[in-house]
Amino acid sequence: MKALHLLLAASLIVPLALHAQGKDALVLSSFEGDLARQWGGVHTKLETEKAPALVKEGDQSGRWSNLRTNMWLTLLGCPADWSSYDTLTFWMHADRASGEEFRLTIDSQVNQPEKGNYFIYTFRADWTGWKQLSIPFSEFKKVRAPGGWQAVSGLQLSPARREIPAELVFHLDDMKLVASGKPAPAEKKTEVKTDTLPARLARIEQFATGREGGSSRLVETGNDGRLRYTNDEDGNRLCDFSYAGYKGGGVAIPDVPAVVTVHPTGGDDTAALQAALDRLAAMPLQANGFRGALQLAKGKYVITNSLFIRADGMVVRGAGAGFGGSWIYHKVMPVIKDPSGTPYVHVPVPGKGVVPTFITQAKGAGGFPTGVEAKKVADITNDLVPAGTATFAVNTPSAVKAGDEVVIVSRQTQKWVMALELGKVWKPETFALQMVRTVTRVNGQRITLDVPVTTRIDTRNGYATGEVWLVARDKRLRNIGIEDLLFLSGFDRTKKDKGGYYNDENHPNQVARIDDVRDGWLRRCAGFFYSFGLVGVGRSMHVTVEDCAMLDGVSRDTPVNHAGARKYYYNLSGAQVLVQRSYARYARHAFIGNGPYDGGVFLDCFSERDHLPSEWHQGWGHGHLFDSIALQCSIRMPSAANSVHGQGAAFALAWNCLIDNRRKFEADLAVTRRGDLCNNYAIGNTLAGSGLARTATVLTQDGPGTLGSVDSSGKYLLPRSLYLAQLHDRLGANAVTAVATKAQIAGARGIVWKELAAAYSELPLYADPDTAPWPGLENWVVRYPDHGADEKANP
């Protein structure tokens, strides 16, 4: 009976929306009669208009007001087959030439397991009065893999920005499909193409040099060489990001002596490698915090299941990342039957066939999302603690002393959730933002922390309350390292999508899942073909990922087909994690953070052929930094209403980045502010891409909110790297030389990007893992840049 009711409802709607008009035209909407039965929409109004001057055809038009972004005006009863026509036309009336941008989206799905395939056309209302828009199908841009004009599943019209001024009203009339008689352009086949390394290097050179500016109004170097900060309009200060990385930043990763050595067996090496790891785990912990290193001799290691690191002080080391060093081939065995039905991307599923190569397991770790156990000892009594604050008052200061480790909890309220327009999908009790800190001073009622808070604790306006919890136990693994290894995931090369891209995902998903680790690293490693990426950092703290690469991920997500929760190459779900001097090719999200964690930094990284933005993705990630990275997609510090992703970034900063965006329908850089709840910052970035096909600004806010704080777009500012400058400011030159290379210290812009391009760009695209080592690369080992220990730090 329910199906019958739906069928009858559809039969009532379609005749109102669709009227044949000869073989060369089909009316989609004449805007006559009851518009509510022809058009759907959320928070937008389409009303009957009968004033003669505001009607183009027939007796009435549609009066469109209260326009808001992502609030689509949707055609009901949209026909599925448009293949007999080649042009969409309609009339639109504008009271004045406002320049507002609109997006016309045509959904098109053919047996697609994922939604999100469509055609899109953008235009500006830069006229006054009536104008007929006549849009050939050839002018629509493809997004992912639309099925074609014979498989249309919807039409939507929407404004591009958050909220159009209330006084702007538009009228619509006579929307139809037309067959113009002109031949359709030949369909272009999507191919995996390459360009030359010299062309890549020249492109970097073009936009990396000759664009030096001065300093930012929010942070600059004073005459005494120290950094000086200015608060934004809400009293927040740029965060100190220098605590990211191993041991809290500025500490060199040690070279740990090998105590166990293993050689390839020539068969399945899984058991031998795990036995060697367990042997290392049973050795005594030395005074330096390490048991020693497991050394993998040169050669190929074949494994068929995950390898587990379960004890403190364990380092796994190869003889170099390459076929001439040590490399691990993770075979597809066994095969999972339904990967889409498992949480294999975000949570490892041992025994199901889709698993990381390395997983860390800390026995008994848990408690807070920070990975520690703690008890509440005080309330913060300040009515406002702006982001970037290190000192505040508490009601029981005697409960802590200098040297105590604490968790600062910002307990968000329902009012905060509602102010973010997320009341339908977020619950305040799930957002007790937690920041692990050390008390450095107690003075009367006031305590001072080693690291300023990275979110705004606003009791004054009823958005949050602040608490201090004393850490009782931290059972996370300490001093864990993986280094100098090449990793290949097997995959089924018979599975491809319409664009010719491999799309199998019944195979290993990550090189390393670094969960519940405090003080660890992944360095000098490269991975190929994993469905999710190189590394996921979960509930970990003070981890460094450096001099790494992830290439050619294979999953259902490809440049022509969107599939969520895949190909997050460097994925941070932990606190104060540093990813530096690392490379990505064919990522979905190359450099990304997930969850309500703080203090992540991406420094001097480079990505090619990425097809979705690098961003702080969801869950109020706070106090994060993109520092001097270059990529061929966009950067987003986004917000979203009524989405589980919600406000993805708070008090995040893009600093001196080169954004060479190839997604022509999307802005190069999106940076959002949400009233006095949070701000995000874009300082010194060069936008070299094709954002929105240059028909609109390449710099915008994204979703709800307004544009965040933007300074000197198009000019790089000093210091070259804010992270290294803050490290120098806090700990001195030796801390910089301990973690940086000579190229980073020298400060010449673009050198690190060129080094990464030269090391990885020319490697074969989507080569066959079963035939490795590939011709000409039999003795290949990645060469890494010189460290900066003998250089004078000059960030």
Side-chain angles (χ1 to χ4, degrees), residues 41-115:
V42 181
H43 299 304
T44 187
K45 294 181 180 179
L46 188 64
E47 301 169 307
T48 299
E49 176 64 75
K50 294 187 176 182
L54 297 174
V55 175
K56 191 64 183 177
E57 299 287 345
D59 297 325
Q60 70 180 49
S61 65
R63 184 180 189 273
W64 193 18
S65 61
N66 190 33
L67 282 66
R68 302 177 69 187
T69 195
N70 291 331
M71 306 303 178
W72 302 96
L73 191 62
T74 301
L75 178 65
L76 303 177
C78 183
D81 189 355
W82 293 20
S83 60
S84 299
Y85 309 94
D86 58 24
T87 304
L88 172 66
T89 71
F90 62 95
W91 287 90
M92 187 168 180
H93 182 280
D95 294 330
R96 60 181 173 86
S98 63
E100 292 293 344
E101 184 184 16
F102 291 86
R103 296 172 181 170
L104 185 60
T105 304
I106 312 299
D107 293 323
S108 177
Q109 311 285 130
V110 176
N111 298 323
Q112 298 283 1
E114 302 282 345
K115 295 182 178 180

Side-chain angles (χ1 to χ4, degrees), residues 236-259:
N236 307 300
R237 200 198 80 169
L238 290 182
C239 298
D240 187 344
F241 304 99
S242 69
Y243 294 85
Y246 179 67
K247 296 286 186 179
V251 177
I253 295 174
D255 294 316
V256 178
V259 295

Side-chain angles (χ1 to χ4, degrees), residues 693-711:
R694 296 302 183 195
T695 61
T697 178
V698 295
L699 175 67
T700 185
Q701 84 279 9
D702 183 14
T706 57
L707 188 66
S709 294
V710 178
D711 198 352

Side-chain angles (χ1 to χ4, degrees), residues 184-234:
E187 188 76 13
K188 294 182 179 179
K189 184 178 179 180
T190 304
E191 298 177 351
V192 177
K193 298 181 179 179
T194 63
D195 53 351
T196 64
L197 178 60
R200 288 185 177 91
L201 299 180
R203 181 75 173 172
I204 294 172
E205 183 71 22
Q206 176 186 358
F207 290 103
T209 59
R211 297 172 178 269
E212 301 298 334
S215 58
S216 170
R217 60 185 176 83
L218 292 175
V219 59
E220 61 181 345
T221 304
N223 294 332
D224 59 356
R226 303 298 302 276
L227 296 176
R228 296 178 178 175
Y229 297 86
T230 300
N231 294 348
D232 68 15
E233 50 268 45
D234 293 319

Side-chain angles (χ1 to χ4, degrees), residues 44 55 68 93 130 164 166 184 226 261 307 413 457 467 474 498 507 529 547 560 596 633-635 642 704 742:
T44 187
V55 175
R68 302 177 69 187
H93 182 280
W130 282 106
I164 290 180
R226 303 298 302 276
T261 300
L307 301 171
T413 66
I457 307 174
E467 303 169 357
D474 186 347
K498 291 183 178 181
H507 61 97
F529 316 132
D547 299 318
V560 297
C633 203
S634 56
I635 288 179
N642 297 316
K742 292 179 179 179

Side-chain angles (χ1 to χ4, degrees), residues 540-562:
S540 294
M541 179 178 177
H542 293 158
V543 172
T544 291
V545 178
E546 66 181 24
D547 299 318
C548 287
M550 174 63 207
L551 300 92
D552 308 346
V554 176
S555 78
R556 280 191 326 200
D557 182 84
T558 74
V560 297
N561 183 69
H562 174 78

Side-chain angles (χ1 to χ4, degrees), residues 20-26 84-85 177-180:
Q21 186 175 308
K23 65 179 181 179
D24 295 329
L26 176 68
S84 299
Y85 309 94
L177 302 177
V178 176
S180 67

